Amino acid sequence: MEEYFDVLDEKGNFTNTIETRKKCHSEGLWHKAVVVFIINSKNQVLLQKRSKSKRMWPDMWDVTAGGHVDAGEFGFQSVLRECEEELGIKLNKEDLTFIGSSLSENIKGDIVNKHFNEYYIANKEVDETKLHLQEEEVSEVKWIDKDEIIKKIKNNYEGITDKEGCWEYLIKYYEWKQK
């Protein structure tokens, strides 16, 4: 099924244009994306391993869930949808804490991703053995300790996707939570 995104200008303003995912990525049109980190009471973050069939960052450890914001959606709605689609985790709007936003540009082959990203935290206990993974998106999940993920981020994204903005927001969240 074809996905459609709201096209934004370089400042993040809506252009009143909707385009397909394919056109946004082939022409480098700005659009919105979201990321959520689920963190448990042990301060661990739930990571997903992207499936081998993904065009960008295949078979790499990644954020808990994330994706594009569909045309007409708010970011938090996209987070709720992506968590349920990718992992079978049902979250409510009240479970989410917005922690920031950034711009990112990733070019991998013929894909030009120009995103206005929104970042969220959900503090939740999740039994990773009972999740329903969307096989075309996710091959496995695991909890990782705070110190371990920070080390991986600071060590040039060792073993994880090199999505610069989102990982730095996770570090900022951990630092804020310590204060």
Side-chain angles (χ1 to χ4, degrees):
M1 184 163 101
E2 189 75 60
E3 291 177 275
Y4 292 89
F5 306 146
D6 289 316
V7 177
L8 309 173
D9 67 17
E10 64 280 350
K11 294 181 180 178
N13 299 309
F14 290 102
T15 63
N16 294 316
T17 305
I18 296 172
E19 291 295 350
T20 64
R21 173 191 188 108
K22 184 177 181 177
K23 186 166 184 175
C24 286
H25 288 168
S26 65
E27 295 183 14
L29 303 175
W30 286 99
H31 54 286
K32 280 189 165 189
V34 294
V35 166
V36 63
F37 295 102
I38 295 180
I39 297 176
N40 66 18
S41 60
K42 297 177 188 174
N43 239 356
Q44 297 170 316
V45 62
L46 185 65
L47 298 184
Q48 66 162 267
K49 191 171 192 181
R50 294 170 63 88
S51 87
K52 292 179 184 193
S53 63
K54 295 294 287 179
R55 290 184 66 201
M56 293 185 76
W57 301 290
D59 209 28
M60 298 214 44
W61 287 101
D62 199 6
V63 303
T64 306
H68 292 93
V69 177
D70 288 342
E73 265 187 331
F74 287 110
F76 77 88
Q77 292 171 308
S78 186
V79 167
L80 301 178
R81 177 179 50 76
E82 292 286 352
C83 276
E84 191 162 359
E85 285 176 1
E86 293 179 1
L87 306 172
I89 297 174
K90 292 185 182 191
L91 296 174
N92 298 310
K93 182 180 178 185
E94 296 75 29
D95 294 326
L96 301 177
T97 301
F98 175 76
I99 60 168
S101 59
S102 73
L103 300 173
S104 67
E105 292 186 56
N106 289 296
I107 301 171
K108 303 272 186 195
D110 62 346
I111 300 173
V112 181
N113 255 337
K114 288 187 175 184
H115 289 162
F116 283 87
N117 302 296
E118 294 181 8
Y119 306 109
Y120 296 85
I121 297 289
N123 295 106
K124 190 169 183 77
E125 301 303 315
V126 173
D127 182 347
E128 73 279 12
T129 66
K130 295 186 178 177
L131 298 179
H132 301 285
L133 306 182
Q134 185 181 22
E135 291 178 15
E136 59 272 12
E137 296 281 333
V138 183
S139 62
E140 61 183 294
V141 295
K142 70 176 177 180
W143 288 104
I144 185 169
D145 290 325
K146 174 186 116 181
D147 293 338
E148 186 178 347
I149 191 63
I150 290 172
K151 182 180 175 187
K152 287 180 177 297
I153 296 165
K154 291 185 176 184
N155 196 21
N156 200 29
Y157 310 104
E158 177 189 343
I160 59 175
T161 58
D162 59 352
K163 298 177 180 177
E164 294 178 22
C166 68
W167 297 114
E168 280 68 27
Y169 269 96
L170 178 63
I171 290 174
K172 282 183 171 192
Y173 173 78
Y174 278 132
E175 290 170 350
W176 171 79
K177 193 172 177 190
Q178 284 182 324
K179 291 181 182 184

